[in-house]
Amino acid sequence: MSLRCLVIVLLSFPQAFHAQVLAQSTAESCPAPRLDGGFFVPEQGTYSHRSGLAYACNHGWKPVVEGWWATTVCLNGSWSHMPQCIGENSCLPPDVPNAKYTQSAPGWYQEGQLIRVKCDQGYEHTTWEAIATCAKGTWSTLPVCQRSKSSCDEPPKMAHAVIVLHKYQQVFAADSEVHFECEEGYSVQGDNTRKSIFCFAGSWTQAPNCIRTQIVGHDSDMSGSVTKPAADTIPERGSGRGSPAGGSTVTDAGSATTSGSSSSSSSTPLKVPVDNCGAYPRLSNGDVVRKRDMSLKYACNSFYKRVGPEIVVCYDDGTWSKVPTCKEAFCEVDLDQYANYNIQESGTIILKDRESREVPCVWRYYTSRILCTQGSVSVTKCCHYQDHYYQRCS
């Protein structure tokens, strides 16, 4: 009965059975590896595909993997790892989460060898220790990398936009910059708008909104006439009723009028409630932070400085007063350009204008101070942190 069932199975799956037999017959076998200071079980001249080989080392030696004995497998002519015996006082690669460390070409470390542990971006050392030593087959106290309080989670969802990342990650280091792109049919206002957000003090900076690109005569929601977003710079009375900053305005009847024209004969325009001017002027890298009946108060996002008036009012002819602009007020520092300063960290950091930061150097208790002044970066040499405190470093 069993034989009959086996025949039925083989006849039912002739192609799969033939493929499996063919794969086994064409797979390469492995020659017996050479092992100094140890022995194999079993000892053979060759080993077939998927055969396992156990080995152990003589007194004073140990396998190149964890354990007092090890197993390797023949996989199509190659061993899953080459059997090797190393000195019992040598160290295997350590397990340091959220970090990278000095790699050894042989794959193991001799007694007395040092490694330097560098935390991944978004993580920091719990102590000043960044060095570990191989001693008698084990590592000295390994540095620990914990998540930095100033790091950020993944960026928040943005309406009508997508975040552009080269690789997915859950933690972003402080001062990380993330770019985004608006979906088709949407854009941010202004030609020089920076399409990015920054991780600052554990939170992401506010991003400019992606708004629908509107063209005259293509939107029925505004009586057949709308205005395409224009530049941020606004003359004293250069924006029309309900229009974004700058450019020409469009009346309810759809006829364009010249920016800055006024229906009032008075040389001094009258202020009226802000709702009389329609949509509020948009500000790249900034927004309205306070609305009153007769005025709007503007402020810029982090890392930007306001240039121009803080208060914007509405005139009786439907135009807005001059709107401020937001100017970049930060330094983007590439630490890799200062490798000769012996700075331990790498990557890019963002500093606000007049902000300074001390970064650790490769020597314990030594730091370097980086200062941002009106877009210019200055970096001091590595010196003892107390010298920084007493301002004896330059």
Side-chain angles (χ1 to χ4, degrees):
M1 187 68 178
S2 300
L3 178 61
R4 182 179 179 183
C5 292
L6 177 61
V7 172
I8 293 175
V9 171
L10 293 178
L11 291 177
S12 301
F13 305 97
Q15 295 179 348
F17 177 75
H18 175 71
Q20 183 177 2
V21 173
L22 180 61
Q24 292 179 350
S25 62
T26 57
E28 297 182 12
S29 59
C30 296
R34 178 181 175 180
L35 180 62
D36 296 328
F39 54 91
F40 298 117
V41 178
E43 290 192 20
Q44 299 174 186
T46 59
Y47 298 82
S48 61
H49 176 60
R50 295 187 181 277
S51 295
L53 173 62
Y55 71 95
C57 299
N58 299 331
H59 179 70
W61 300 81
K62 64 181 180 182
V64 75
V65 294
E66 288 288 352
W68 65 270
W69 64 277
T71 300
T72 184
V73 180
C74 174
L75 298 173
N76 199 24
S78 300
W79 293 104
S80 57
H81 82 266
M82 188 58 63
Q84 185 179 7
C85 291
I86 61 176
E88 62 180 358
N89 289 332
S90 300
C91 292
L92 302 178
D95 181 18
V96 187
N98 308 314
K100 299 178 181 63
Y101 53 83
T102 310
Q103 298 293 324
S104 174
W108 50 276
Y109 300 80
Q110 295 180 352
E111 182 178 19
Q113 191 169 352
L114 302 177
I115 60 170
R116 184 170 74 89
V117 177
K118 178 181 177 182
C119 295
D120 294 336
Q121 290 191 359
Y123 295 83
E124 60 187 5
H125 291 290
T126 56
T127 66
W128 283 93
E129 294 292 344
I131 304 296
T133 306
C134 174
K136 296 183 179 181
T138 60
W139 291 101
S140 61
T141 303
L142 286 169
V144 177
C145 293
Q146 67 179 6
R147 176 169 170 172
S148 172
K149 294 181 180 179
S150 60
S151 63
C152 295
D153 294 326
E154 57 188 51
K157 292 183 179 180
M158 300 173 56
H160 308 298
V162 61
I163 298 294
V164 180
L165 293 177
H166 297 294
K167 63 178 182 178
Y168 175 78
Q169 59 189 90
Q170 292 181 324
V171 178
F172 291 79
D175 304 323
S176 294
E177 179 181 9
V178 172
H179 298 273
F180 67 91
E181 291 293 338
C182 296
E183 66 180 64
E184 185 175 359
Y186 290 80
S187 65
V188 292
Q189 185 180 7
D191 296 334
N192 298 321
T193 298
R194 193 184 188 97
K195 294 182 181 179
S196 58
I197 56 178
F198 298 92
C199 172
F200 179 70
S203 301
W204 291 99
T205 58
Q206 184 178 359
N209 295 326
C210 289
I211 58 177
R212 182 180 292 278
T213 304
Q214 299 174 329
I215 303 176
V216 174
H218 288 76
D219 196 326
S220 59
D221 295 338
M222 296 286 290
S223 303
S225 62
V226 295
T227 306
K228 184 176 180 181
D232 295 330
T233 304
I234 301 179
E236 289 294 338
R237 300 180 62 195
S239 58
R241 182 181 184 87
S243 70
S248 61
T249 64
V250 181
T251 65
D252 292 338
S255 59
T257 61
T258 304
S259 299
S261 61
S262 174
S263 59
S264 175
S265 59
S266 173
S267 59
T268 303
L270 298 177
K271 297 178 183 178
V272 296
V274 293
D275 291 340
N276 288 13
C277 282
Y280 301 156
R282 297 185 180 273
L283 178 62
S284 296
N285 301 307
D287 206 346
V288 176
V289 295
R290 189 190 69 197
K291 173 186 176 297
R292 291 181 176 174
D293 291 341
M294 301 297 292
S295 66
L296 301 175
K297 181 179 180 180
Y298 282 83
C300 295
N301 298 337
S302 298
F303 301 97
Y304 290 85
K305 179 181 179 181
R306 178 178 52 82
V307 177
E310 183 180 36
I311 303 299
V312 176
V313 299
C314 172
Y315 293 130
D316 59 347
D317 63 352
T319 61
W320 293 99
S321 64
K322 185 176 181 180
V323 177
T325 58
C326 293
K327 181 181 178 182
E328 292 183 354
F330 61 87
C331 296
E332 189 171 351
V333 186
D334 184 2
L335 295 179
D336 294 333
Q337 295 182 357
Y338 301 93
N340 58 334
Y341 282 68
N342 296 308
I343 295 175
Q344 181 179 340
E345 296 183 358
S346 61
T348 302
I349 63 174
I350 305 296
L351 299 179
K352 289 185 176 181
D353 186 34
R354 298 185 180 180
E355 179 186 3
S356 65
R357 179 177 304 179
E358 292 187 12
V359 294
C361 297
V362 295
W363 305 292
R364 186 178 182 182
Y365 303 129
Y366 278 72
T367 60
S368 174
R369 177 171 293 170
I370 303 176
L371 174 65
C372 172
T373 307
Q374 296 182 353
S376 298
V377 178
S378 60
V379 182
T380 68
K381 63 182 181 180
C382 287
C383 62
H384 199 275
Y385 74 96
Q386 289 183 342
D387 292 332
H388 278 299
Y389 178 79
Y390 291 111
Q391 298 183 347
R392 291 198 293 259
C393 291
S394 59

